[in-house]
Amino acid sequence: MEKRNILIANDDGIGAEGIARLTAAALPFGRVFVAAPSSQCSGMSQKLTIRGELPVTEAPFPVSVEAAWAIGGTPADCVKAAIRALLPVRPDVVLTGINRGYNAGFDIAYSGTVGAALEAVMNGVPAIAFSAHENGDPGALEAYLPVVLNELLTRPAEPGCVWNVNFPDCAAAQCKGVLYGRRPAACSFYDNDYVRTGDALSIRVTNPGPDRCRKGSDIHAVLHGYVSVGEIRSPLF
């Protein structure tokens, strides 16, 4: 099996459970490096620090890797800085996640996990973004992560695109398999309602039901017990 140089980043921070899980799954496939935000950075899309300094520290990490850095910047900062300044080799692929919460439908536009993957593509490196329901049953994720990772590492996305993977909230036995070619749903999974409370707006999150999003979409797939895999194209390609 070909051994790759793999960079892993996320938006939930260097201490998140998801990035440790993804790193452990990636180890059989090559040399793994980690560069992740020092704090929670969800919802930052492809925001980038363009002036000043980025704090960078070598960080303890629960999985044995070549190196792990905590960076005081955004998810996109982590990928760009790692590729251009931190890694001793150019990565063959960038993996991001596993995000705590789905990145599907309109939510893709806001995702720091997807933003980091798109930053990799802009720097000429293939990328795969992984997400799962927060506080959900990890059974399907644990069973299908190695399968999907093995498949997508040998099947690069189209030029200018990243693979976007979402795991359903169900036990392995209840997962119906993997659906490829899923399109972003024309709705958000984490939609916002705003309620006026004095001088502020209280933000409440609502979720769509399983029949609200069209068949063939990413949200429809995960809400019906499938692993969803689709491509997201950078607007610059």
Side-chain angles (χ1 to χ4, degrees):
M1 180 174 61
E2 177 189 358
K3 291 290 186 178
R4 300 166 178 83
N5 294 310
I6 301 170
L7 170 63
I8 298 183
N10 74 347
D11 70 0
D12 290 321
I14 189 89
E17 178 185 350
I19 195 170
R21 189 188 294 268
L22 180 57
T23 301
L27 284 179
F29 298 96
R31 301 174 64 204
V32 180
F33 302 83
V34 174
S38 54
S39 60
Q40 169 62 248
C41 287
S42 292
M44 288 198 174
S45 188
Q46 211 171 335
K47 179 181 178 181
L48 197 69
T49 303
I50 59 174
R51 292 185 179 86
E53 295 183 343
L54 282 176
V56 177
T57 58
E58 290 199 29
F61 199 72
V63 180
S64 180
V65 294
E66 300 292 323
W69 297 279
I71 299 176
T74 69
D77 282 330
C78 293
V79 171
K80 190 170 186 177
I83 292 173
R84 299 194 178 191
L86 296 176
L87 294 184
V89 293
R90 184 169 177 80
D92 298 304
V93 64
V94 171
L95 310 179
T96 65
I98 300 167
N99 190 67
R100 190 173 180 271
Y102 292 141
N103 279 310
F106 290 163
D107 299 314
I108 289 169
Y110 308 106
S111 167
T113 302
V114 174
L118 291 173
E119 184 64 36
V121 168
M122 284 176 54
N123 283 272
V125 181
I128 311 169
F130 296 89
S131 304
H133 194 280
E134 69 278 17
N135 303 318
D137 188 324
L141 187 158
E142 291 172 350
Y144 283 90
L145 175 58
V147 176
V148 173
L149 191 55
N150 183 62
E151 171 71 17
L152 297 185
L153 284 174
T154 59
R155 181 178 162 187
E158 292 293 317
C161 296
V162 304
W163 288 119
N164 187 42
V165 182
N166 285 274
F167 296 95
D169 173 14
C170 64
Q174 275 68 60
C175 185
K176 300 173 183 176
V178 183
L179 290 177
Y180 292 89
R182 299 306 93 181
R183 301 182 301 276
C187 63
S188 294
F189 184 80
Y190 302 101
D191 209 355
N192 291 335
D193 287 337
Y194 300 92
V195 179
R196 187 67 179 264
T197 56
D199 294 331
L201 292 173
S202 177
I203 303 173
R204 301 175 184 176
V205 177
T206 60
N207 306 120
D211 298 317
R212 180 176 155 190
C213 298
R214 67 177 184 264
K215 290 183 179 180
S217 71
D218 45 17
I219 296 179
H220 189 277
V222 293
L223 292 183
H224 285 82
Y226 292 93
V227 180
S228 169
V229 180
E231 288 182 314
I232 302 169
R233 180 173 295 279
S234 167
L236 301 178
F237 287 81

